[in-house]
Amino acid sequence: SGSPLFLGKKGGDIFVSSDLPTLAPLVDFIYPLHEDELIDVSLGGIALKWISSPHIQTEKRKFTTRYHMESEMYETVDLLKSIIDSKTKEFKELQKYLSPKHNIILTGCGSSYHACLFGQHLFGQIGINARAVIASEGDCVLPIIGSGTTILVLSQSGETIDSLDFVIKAKAKGAYIVSLTNVRHSSLDRLADIALDLGVGIEVAVASTKAFIFMQMFFVRLIATLGKIDLSGDLNMYLKSLTDLYKESGKKRAKVLAKKFVKSQSLFI
């Protein structure tokens, strides 16, 4: 209760973990436990009769470089290609909950909150008032939350405790919850009225790269849909710039800059 828990199964072996991405490579089946569900694990067997959710597919991946963060950065180009070519059907479904008449709150923690600040700016560009609120300070806006409120919550893991706490309180007051997470069947994913999948694959590095980029891309494509703006040319130009950045010449420039920055005590951007 109050924390995520997943049960994994591979042959006769049973695994229990609070972290879905690290469990996934070890097992063939994963069962997410809902609040107040009970499992009975004993030597040589397991009783699943209390688990209401079916098993979910696991995601296994190999890293292409020595460092997780570097691998995740290089995955961005192919991911961007697939997103540019994908449809925006889910955005059209959101339109009725993201109109100017709604009280729209964008929330998250860390890099997710910074993506929300970017989203707040974009909403303003099409005349819709949306407010970015860091989830840990969510209690400050609870008095203005009601049935006309839409909460758009961002979380890479879907388990950010401050975001969960705020969303649970907001939902109890009648808010409509839309989640954007990178881990399907996470706590936020299951709590939301509409659960959207960031779909960029497991992100292991603590410093967010691809997840943060695609949270921003989510807002760009959402606002383009709401405002009926054609951004296909701009997105393809961004893709070309990103592709050039990850070429060998771009890597060499990055190494030169890194050698300069690593000796600096402070860096102002």
Side-chain angles (χ1 to χ4, degrees):
S1 177
S3 297
L5 192 64
F6 299 92
L7 182 142
K9 194 169 186 295
K10 184 178 179 67
D13 296 328
I14 301 300
F15 301 78
V16 178
S17 174
S18 62
D19 186 48
L20 177 58
T22 54
L23 182 63
L26 304 175
V27 299
D28 295 324
F29 300 99
I30 292 180
Y31 298 84
L33 271 71
H34 298 288
E35 288 290 292
D36 300 320
E37 280 191 325
L38 178 69
I39 57 171
D40 182 11
V41 181
S42 58
L43 190 64
I46 181 168
L48 297 177
K49 60 184 178 181
W50 291 293
I51 300 181
S52 60
S53 52
H55 77 268
I56 59 179
Q57 294 293 321
T58 64
E59 178 186 356
K60 298 177 174 65
R61 63 172 289 194
K62 292 181 179 179
F63 291 95
T64 54
T65 69
R66 181 179 173 187
Y67 303 105
H68 291 328
M69 185 175 178
E70 190 177 8
S71 290
E72 290 161 1
M73 288 170 66
Y74 291 152
E75 290 168 13
T76 306
V77 173
D78 288 336
L79 287 167
L80 185 58
K81 287 178 185 174
S82 65
I83 282 186
I84 289 174
D85 294 335
S86 67
K87 304 297 181 184
T88 56
K89 181 176 64 176
E90 67 272 19
F91 295 155
K92 292 177 180 176
E93 186 183 350
L94 290 177
Q95 284 182 314
K96 56 185 174 183
Y97 304 107
L98 297 173
S99 69
K101 69 178 182 181
H102 285 88
N103 175 28
I104 301 170
I105 295 176
L106 317 175
T107 191
C109 292
S111 57
S112 297
Y113 169 64
H114 285 93
C116 289
L117 289 171
F118 178 67
Q120 174 183 269
H121 170 73
L122 292 186
F123 268 103
Q125 299 305 299
I126 60 169
I128 297 179
N129 182 32
R131 179 176 182 177
V133 176
I134 190 165
S136 57
E137 304 297 327
D139 285 356
C140 296
V141 295
L142 279 177
I144 64 169
I145 289 176
S147 58
T149 300
T150 298
I151 306 281
L152 180 48
V153 56
L154 277 62
S155 171
Q156 194 283 133
S157 67
E159 303 295 350
T160 310
I161 193 65
D162 286 334
S163 297
L164 279 166
D165 182 57
F166 175 43
V167 164
I168 290 169
K169 292 175 182 176
K171 190 165 186 175
K173 296 195 69 177
Y176 193 83
I177 310 299
V178 180
S179 70
L180 177 67
T181 71
N182 196 35
V183 180
R184 296 310 310 268
H185 309 284
S186 61
S187 297
L188 277 173
D189 192 74
R190 287 178 276 148
L191 188 63
D193 297 294
I194 295 181
L196 303 176
D197 180 21
L198 192 60
V200 298
I202 294 171
E203 187 172 73
V204 177
V206 174
S208 182
T209 53
K210 60 180 181 176
F212 179 59
I213 289 172
F214 284 94
M215 284 179 181
Q216 294 176 87
M217 189 60 65
F218 163 80
F219 279 118
V220 169
R221 298 175 75 231
L222 174 62
I223 297 305
T225 301
L226 296 176
K228 297 181 171 61
I229 305 167
D230 182 10
L231 291 178
S232 54
D234 298 271
L235 291 176
N236 281 302
M237 188 161 47
Y238 177 59
L239 175 60
K240 183 182 182 305
S241 299
L242 201 62
T243 304
D244 290 343
L245 185 65
Y246 290 141
K247 287 179 179 176
E248 197 58 38
S249 57
K251 294 179 189 177
K252 287 179 180 177
R253 288 200 304 272
K255 286 180 180 179
V256 170
L257 288 172
K259 286 178 181 178
K260 290 182 180 179
F261 292 155
V262 75
K263 297 175 183 178
S264 302
Q265 290 186 333
S266 303
L267 176 63
F268 297 93
I269 301 177

